[in-house]
Amino acid sequence: MYETGCKCKEQTRFLKVEADFCADSIWCNNCQSNLDLSRLALSNKLKRELSEWALEFGKWLKLDTDELVSNAKELEDAHNVMGAILCEKVKEELGNSYMVFFTPSSLVRSYSQKLL
Ligand SMILES: [Zn+2]
């Protein structure tokens, strides 16, 4: 196991940027472990941006009633646009040794389906 939290036998080259409740925003795309953002070779500025972005995740969901807010789609879309931008920044900072993918949030879609 690596200090980043990845559980792969060999250090992964595959990462993904994905926001989730109470998690850092970078994951191993191979073993799906949530990685310790502080241990990744990223600038403090980008780490801060990623953390702030992750904290915004799910703002379109009312956790107490488990309902979407009225402009949930807009909020989620904006969050996904920002996530894609941050993913590009992560790629830039980590360089060619990593493949970084972005997984957009689909909370709105899954909640809409649940209501049908
Ligand atoms: Zn891994």
Side-chain angles (χ1 to χ4, degrees):
M1 205 214 277
Y2 294 86
E3 58 182 12
T4 54
C6 171
K7 296 178 179 64
C8 296
K9 283 208 175 79
E10 288 177 35
Q11 179 132 34
T12 185
R13 300 194 311 114
F14 303 98
L15 303 178
K16 69 173 172 177
V17 174
E18 181 177 3
D20 200 352
F21 293 110
C22 306
D24 278 346
S25 43
I26 297 192
W27 309 70
C28 171
N29 202 38
N30 193 25
C31 68
Q32 309 301 323
S33 296
N34 189 221
L35 303 186
D36 185 350
L37 196 57
S38 64
R39 297 197 181 268
L40 294 170
L42 298 170
S43 67
N44 286 333
K45 180 172 182 290
L46 184 52
K47 285 178 187 174
R48 201 164 50 238
E49 286 176 343
L50 284 162
S51 301
E52 283 165 6
W53 175 73
L55 282 175
E56 292 296 314
F57 175 78
K59 286 276 166 72
W60 46 96
L61 185 65
K62 288 185 252 176
L63 288 177
D64 48 345
T65 55
D66 207 30
E67 287 174 331
L68 294 171
V69 300
S70 55
N71 60 339
K73 181 89 176 69
E74 287 76 15
L75 291 175
E76 186 178 63
D77 287 348
H79 190 262
N80 284 338
V81 168
M82 190 61 203
I85 293 170
L86 290 172
C87 181
E88 289 305 313
K89 291 188 184 181
V90 170
K91 278 185 204 171
E92 261 172 46
E93 291 200 4
L94 292 179
N96 293 332
S97 44
Y98 288 91
M99 297 275 289
V100 191
F101 306 92
F102 173 57
T103 308
S105 165
S106 56
L107 264 187
V108 170
R109 202 176 57 212
S110 54
Y111 268 77
S112 308
Q113 283 167 352
K114 209 169 80 173
L115 296 176
L116 292 175

